[in-house]
Amino acid sequence: MPIVLRLDVMLAKRKVRSNTLARAIGITDANLSLLKSGKVKGVKFETLEAICDFLDCQPGDILEFQPEQPPDIETETVQRAG
């Protein structure tokens, strides 16, 4: 997935526990855990705003774009031939 959540990093920098953040922004511990693990397809701007407000950060501090790497042509050719 090209968008990676770095929420765990920001929580560590701010020395905030996950359950404290979850209670402060009004989501369940389970939903926050899903956000931290990146097992979500999206996040509401309202939730992102609440996280950034509580952690005193910018969206770019917790979201990172990592482009997907194209397959290696040599490796792909060898696998097809093999």
Side-chain angles (χ1 to χ4, degrees):
M1 176 183 288
I3 302 293
V4 178
L5 284 160
R6 299 287 183 208
L7 187 54
D8 53 343
V9 173
M10 188 53 64
L11 284 167
K13 283 183 180 178
R14 298 293 192 254
K15 297 180 181 161
V16 174
R17 293 176 52 106
S18 296
N19 60 353
T20 303
L21 177 62
R23 271 187 262 121
I25 65 173
I27 65 173
T28 65
D29 291 343
N31 281 340
L32 186 62
S33 178
L34 290 171
L35 275 173
K36 284 175 50 180
S37 68
K39 295 181 180 178
V40 294
K41 294 201 181 261
V43 60
K44 290 182 179 179
F45 282 139
E46 179 181 337
T47 304
L48 184 58
E49 179 182 351
I51 291 170
C52 289
D53 185 43
F54 188 82
L55 295 177
D56 190 29
C57 66
Q58 295 294 313
D61 295 330
I62 56 176
L63 298 173
E64 182 179 326
F65 176 70
Q66 290 184 347
E68 292 180 1
Q69 298 296 319
D72 185 15
I73 295 173
E74 250 182 67
T75 303
E76 194 172 297
T77 305
V78 171
Q79 287 175 349
R80 287 184 191 170

